Amino acid sequence: MANITTLSDAIATHVRDGQTLALEGFTHLIPNAAAHEIIRQGRKHLTLVRMTPDVTYDQLIGAGCADKLIFSWGGNPGVGSLHRFRDAVERDYPHHLEIEEHSHAGMATRYVAGASGLPFGMLRGYVGTDLLKYTPNISTVTCPFTGEELAAVPALTPDVGIIHAQQADRHGNVGLWGIQGVQKEAVMASKASIVTVEEIVDELDSRVTVTLPSWVISSVAVVPRGAHPSYAHGYYERDNDFYIGWDSISKDRDSFDAWIDRHIHQTSDYAEHLRLVDQEEGVLA
Amino acid sequence: MTAPVIAAEELVATDDEMMMIVAARELRNGVVCFVGIGMPSTAANLARHMHAPDAVLIYESGTIGAKPTKPPLSIGDGELADTADAVVSVPEIFTYWLQAGRIDVGFLGAAQLDKYGNINSTVVGDYDHPKVRLPGAGGAPEIAGSAGEIFLMLRQNNRAFVEKVDFLTSVGNAEGGDSRQRMGMRGKGPSVVITDIGVLRADPASGEFVLTALHEGKTIDDAKAATGWDLRISDHVEITAPATDEELRKLRALKAGEL
């Protein structure tokens, strides 16, 4: 059964220095509050897994939490570069970041293999690409029935999988709807899992399309708007202005550090950060 | 942002608008199209509002048959899910739908392209010490491999149209000839590149892209100067039909979220 607790307790209980973490959410339901809490608690030497490291991972990387990134597309969607990610890869700032780079299809296959308890997954992919030269854990397997050669990639089995969802019930059963990404796979592939939710309800909404039973989840924490600046379908929209504003905040090392300090280290929780964003100075604060 | 009031005499397409309109014309009605974000998405939605109302737009966020009223900023904006015929998981979109061969056209952009339509979206410069770290592969390698054919659109200049891509992210017509087929690729690869200068089509035998059309006011010299390889020119270069008032009005309304 999932333990229903606070986000700070869930992160303190499950997340350790040096672990492999997967924070998933494909544009929708990105667990940004959880990422802030990881930074606030000062976790280091993490291997971060995520198909689309966007603003969330830009913050974790820029704050020096990550030693390694496993990913398939690292950008600020519709805006441009992730400047902290680029500074790490291009100039080893704040320190060297090892990267392990796949395609989306490959990453999805790796999560499915992990969730399925298989050592690897296979796909028609990667043929002829330079990813084969630079990513050592892409291999091939021959179909025993047809002889066709297919790409093989190892299962992803993170120490902790972290997602955001719309709802949990009082038993900790989690329900989400809208774009579902690889959230279910990330939870099922991981050894422990944390789910932040918009609210706890008596009964999950009839719109729920993905249900994760309480007993496959380690901890559930209520964090209203915990996906912001991403969105939670049926609750709030994507804050596109924040993503656009992030470009200038993150371009400069000092303005990034000041932002992290003000919005994470000097706040006690995500609600306080959201109040800063909403009331005082807007997204650029 | 409010849309400007457009007087009739102001209906002249910019280079980017022309590229999007010409790209939209390439999509036939009923096509099942896996759409990349940005300009391909805008062009595909314009097609849906013009001649191709039954085009099925699929985004890698798992939204099938999405009908956004404005160009989404991200590949997973909420409106894509709200307007879709079906919303499936990311593993499913890449397996049951793309890998299984249900996509007619993959519609992609690129940072760099070579004469065979091979794509780089990973790094400029050396991989380990890149000059510019680009976002990376995303869905493109498997879209390029498994979609029936690939349409590409990007602005033409000799930083983007290069002799050799710095990193081969997604295989186009490989090394030309039948090299792509010999790799076991299921889709036939890139067939057209739409740019802000003109249209390049793959020569069926060699797989090399050849300039086959120029947009109004553009010249062969413009195209050659904007290409980092010795661009082949078709014996019969067409002049693209100018943008119609309807195309331009709809494109601008689409971008303003007023369609």
Side-chain angles (χ1 to χ4, degrees):
Chain A
M1 291 288 284
N3 167 36
I4 299 179
T5 181
T6 62
L7 176 58
S8 79
D9 177 62
I11 298 294
T13 303
H14 299 292
V15 179
R16 299 270 171 270
D17 286 355
Q19 281 183 330
T20 298
L21 309 183
L23 281 71
E24 278 296 352
F26 203 90
T27 301
H28 179 215
L29 297 173
I30 298 171
N32 282 294
H36 274 210
E37 190 56 33
I38 291 165
I39 296 171
R40 190 177 285 113
Q41 295 191 14
R43 295 282 72 81
K44 300 280 179 215
H45 307 303
L46 300 171
T47 292
L48 295 177
V49 187
R50 179 169 165 75
M51 290 181 65
T52 55
D54 59 356
V55 167
T56 323
Y57 274 28
D58 212 33
Q59 294 176 359
L60 284 158
I61 291 164
C65 301
D67 283 3
K68 181 176 178 180
L69 177 69
I70 300 175
F71 75 110
S72 41
W73 192 89
N76 183 347
V79 178
S81 289
L82 291 178
H83 298 294
R84 295 300 94 223
F85 160 66
R86 280 186 57 183
D87 211 9
V89 173
E90 294 170 11
R91 288 174 289 277
D92 289 338
Y93 183 89
H95 52 246
H96 177 69
L97 179 73
E98 186 186 346
I99 57 173
E100 178 182 310
E101 183 161 8
H102 282 264
S103 66
H104 277 351
M107 286 291 283
T109 301
R110 298 185 66 188
Y111 275 122
V112 170
S116 307
L118 288 170
F120 75 95
M122 63 195 153
L123 69 154
R124 287 198 186 97
Y126 297 107
V127 177
T129 75
D130 282 346
L131 288 166
L132 293 165
K133 293 183 199 162
Y134 294 97
T135 307
N137 63 1
I138 304 168
S139 188
T140 57
V141 63
T142 303
C143 170
F145 306 105
T146 65
E148 183 179 358
E149 192 172 87
L150 299 160
V153 283
L156 276 168
T157 54
D159 293 307
V160 189
I162 303 176
I163 65 166
H164 186 78
Q166 281 99 338
Q167 298 177 341
D169 67 17
R170 293 184 195 288
H171 305 285
N173 298 301
V174 164
L176 63 89
W177 67 91
I179 288 170
Q180 54 194 267
V182 286
Q183 285 97 310
K184 180 177 185 174
E185 290 75 15
V187 166
M188 302 292 286
S190 297
K191 297 174 189 93
S193 58
I194 299 169
V195 184
T196 53
V197 295
E198 289 297 319
E199 59 175 338
I200 302 258
V201 294
D202 290 328
E203 253 184 74
L204 296 178
D205 195 285
S206 61
R207 289 173 290 181
V208 165
T209 52
V210 176
T211 309
L212 287 161
S214 177
W215 56 272
V216 300
I217 297 163
S218 311
S219 289
V220 170
V222 180
V223 186
R225 285 174 73 204
H228 177 276
S230 164
Y231 68 105
H233 213 121
Y235 286 77
Y236 47 92
E237 306 221 326
R238 192 171 190 269
D239 187 352
N240 285 335
D241 288 341
F242 186 99
Y243 284 92
I244 294 164
W246 183 252
D247 192 62
S248 60
I249 295 166
S250 60
K251 223 172 222 161
D252 177 76
R253 292 173 182 173
D254 292 338
S255 75
F256 169 81
D257 287 343
W259 192 93
I260 292 288
D261 196 46
R262 178 164 170 68
H263 283 261
I264 300 180
H265 294 308
Q266 291 180 25
T267 59
S268 56
D269 59 15
Y270 209 61
E272 207 180 328
H273 148 74
L274 288 173
R275 275 196 298 278
L276 282 180
V277 169
D278 286 348
Q279 295 165 8
E280 289 184 14
E281 295 144 294
V283 294
L284 292 170
Chain B
M1 210 161 55
T2 53
V5 178
I6 300 155
E9 66 269 20
E10 286 180 69
L11 282 181
V12 176
T14 65
D15 286 357
D16 275 0
E17 286 175 332
M18 199 62 210
M19 172 165 54
M20 274 184 271
I21 286 166
V22 173
R25 290 174 185 165
E26 289 288 327
L27 290 173
R28 63 174 173 79
N29 194 19
V31 70
V32 178
C33 182
F34 205 115
V35 190
I37 203 68
M39 290 193 296
S41 167
T42 306
N45 278 293
L46 177 62
R48 213 168 45 72
H49 287 286
M50 293 292 303
H51 60 280
D54 298 325
V56 178
L57 307 192
I58 297 184
Y59 291 80
E60 66 192 13
S61 55
T63 50
I64 297 170
K67 301 162 209 54
T69 56
K70 59 178 185 295
L73 183 68
S74 85
I75 204 93
D77 278 17
E79 199 192 10
L80 296 175
D82 279 334
T83 60
D85 299 327
V87 180
V88 302
S89 71
V90 165
E92 182 178 323
I93 203 75
F94 283 105
T95 53
Y96 300 178
W97 301 88
L98 177 63
Q99 186 170 263
R102 290 190 164 85
I103 310 297
D104 298 322
V105 171
F107 202 165
L108 301 172
Q112 281 185 340
L113 197 72
D114 71 13
K115 68 178 174 181
Y116 293 117
N118 298 303
I119 296 169
N120 173 21
S121 50
T122 303
V123 287
V124 176
D126 174 62
Y127 184 78
D128 291 319
H129 302 94
K131 234 181 285 173
V132 181
R133 175 63 228 199
L134 301 165
E142 285 75 25
I143 295 171
S146 289
E149 62 186 309
I150 300 301
F151 294 177
L152 293 160
M153 67 184 296
L154 68 162
R155 297 184 189 102
Q156 194 167 350
N157 59 62
N158 48 27
R159 290 186 314 281
F161 284 62
V162 295
E163 181 72 41
K164 186 173 173 12
V165 290
D166 290 350
F167 189 98
L168 180 45
T169 312
S170 303
V171 176
N173 294 327
E175 291 162 11
D178 64 350
S179 57
R180 179 183 165 95
Q181 282 66 38
R182 281 189 278 109
M183 290 171 150
M185 300 277 190
R186 300 223 156 177
K188 74 172 193 181
S191 53
V192 62
V193 180
I194 301 111
T195 82
D196 50 350
I197 293 176
V199 177
L200 291 74
R201 293 192 191 273
D203 175 70
S206 69
E208 180 177 341
F209 276 93
V210 179
L211 182 77
T212 59
L214 286 165
H215 307 328
E216 260 191 336
K218 303 294 182 189
T219 66
I220 287 174
D221 284 347
D222 292 338
K224 285 193 160 184
T227 306
W229 69 83
D230 187 13
L231 178 65
R232 277 178 57 193
I233 311 295
S234 165
D235 295 339
H236 307 284
V237 176
E238 294 173 12
I239 301 299
T240 309
T244 66
D245 285 0
E246 187 191 6
E247 285 171 325
L248 254 179
R249 282 208 177 85
K250 284 191 170 167
L251 174 59
R252 289 175 185 178
L254 176 69
K255 293 186 84 170
E258 289 166 358
L259 249 191

